[in-house]
Amino acid sequence: MCGRFALTATPDQTAAFLDVAGLEDFPARYNIAPTQPILVATAGAPRAPGSNLPDRQPMLVRWGLIPTWVKDTREFPLLFNARSEGAAEKASFKAAMRHRRALVPASGFYEWRQTGGKKGQPYWIRPRHGGLVAFAGLIETYAEPGGSEMDTGAILTVNANADIAYIRDRMPVVVDPRDFARWLDCRTLEPRDVADLLRPAQLDFFEAIPVSDLVNKVANTGPEIQERGVLGPEPEKVRRQKSDTDNGQMTLF
């Protein structure tokens, strides 16, 4: 699962990483959540012979894919993730897997390790050696009943590798820059031709840093949410214990 991520690189760094042109300026984003706009890169129109312009294009989509056949979005779940193992056959994703694959640039993502309490321990998971990563994404253009169109997207996930599995059993699919062209090539490559890219990141690629629970609130959008911090144990519950003498004292449970 990937329910929060960050993109803190500069527009120039992001454009160079994705090899796109015409990327508008944007601020660092430390706490990107579903339903918010996210940057993606898709395959552009074929280049003219002799052109040295990038053949990829940036676009903004709403994080939460809506298939074209949905009638009432209020009764449809928020699809911000797609399990890669069945995406090529699942009704919600198979058209996008065939025709609209994308790259989602990120500086890292957040996950929560459940430790038995109500609140899990959040982790900021980033490339060990810095830089950007590209998650495998899917996009779909949804036509609203009123006639307007909305571009929407989801991030593909896969079973977590050993570095992440102790925190969460799923992780985003990371596409290696050498495979960007293959993943985006929906004109000549079908889902079965890129299925080998839907795999966990290599061991030691990511490092997981425990952070405070500031990231839990979408309203917290500053760099402080990525500072190291371990949550303490939840306070013990207090209840009234009756004894034979019932002295009316409070005891810790």
Side-chain angles (χ1 to χ4, degrees):
M1 182 175 177
C2 174
R4 300 282 180 84
F5 71 97
L7 177 58
T8 59
T10 67
D12 287 344
Q13 291 169 332
T14 306
F17 175 69
L18 295 173
D19 191 18
V20 297
L23 187 58
E24 296 183 1
D25 195 22
F26 59 83
R29 299 177 67 192
Y30 291 89
N31 198 4
I32 302 172
T35 73
Q36 294 180 355
I38 61 173
L39 174 67
V40 304
T42 64
R47 289 180 292 186
S51 172
N52 60 357
L53 293 176
D55 60 351
R56 298 171 195 153
Q57 61 184 16
M59 63 185 297
L60 287 177
V61 304
R62 169 192 181 267
W63 189 14
L65 187 143
I66 305 176
T68 57
W69 44 263
V70 171
K71 300 298 182 184
D72 188 348
T73 58
R74 294 170 299 181
E75 299 179 358
F76 195 75
L78 186 62
L79 302 179
F80 53 90
N81 286 163
R83 293 179 68 92
S84 61
E85 295 86 349
E89 292 80 33
K90 192 174 178 62
S92 296
F93 306 119
K94 62 181 181 180
M97 274 291 292
R98 177 62 186 90
H99 301 291
R100 290 172 289 277
R101 299 190 293 266
L103 297 169
V104 183
S107 302
F109 64 102
Y110 302 95
E111 275 299 355
W112 283 256
R113 182 186 184 193
Q114 297 304 317
T115 56
K118 291 183 179 179
K119 294 181 179 180
Q121 169 66 54
Y123 285 83
W124 164 233
I125 302 172
R126 66 185 183 187
R128 187 175 298 276
H129 301 295
L132 287 161
V133 295
F135 300 146
L138 302 174
I139 61 173
E140 194 71 84
T141 301
Y142 177 71
E144 298 179 290
S148 61
E149 292 185 340
M150 175 171 55
D151 294 317
T152 68
I155 292 172
L156 286 156
T157 66
V158 70
N159 285 328
N161 63 22
D163 293 335
I164 308 299
Y166 77 98
I167 301 172
R168 191 79 181 210
D169 61 352
R170 305 289 294 179
M171 67 186 301
V173 174
V174 175
V175 182
D176 189 279
R178 294 170 295 184
D179 297 316
F180 283 2
R182 280 185 62 206
W183 175 250
L184 294 178
D185 183 4
C186 297
R187 287 189 287 268
T188 64
L189 298 180
E190 297 186 12
R192 64 173 178 266
D193 300 318
V194 293
D196 61 298
L197 303 182
L198 304 176
R199 59 182 183 265
Q202 292 184 349
L203 291 176
D204 293 327
F205 181 82
F206 284 115
E207 62 177 347
I209 301 168
V211 295
S212 76
D213 58 0
L214 287 173
V215 68
N216 293 3
K217 294 184 178 181
V218 178
N220 294 330
T221 59
E224 65 277 3
I225 69 173
Q226 293 180 356
E227 294 177 0
R228 186 179 294 271
V230 179
L231 300 186
E234 292 195 3
E236 294 180 291
K237 293 182 179 179
V238 178
R239 69 181 176 94
R240 183 178 296 274
Q241 179 179 350
K242 281 200 170 187
S243 66
D244 291 339
T245 57
D246 193 10
N247 59 12
Q249 298 298 308
M250 303 295 286
T251 60
L252 290 177
F253 176 65

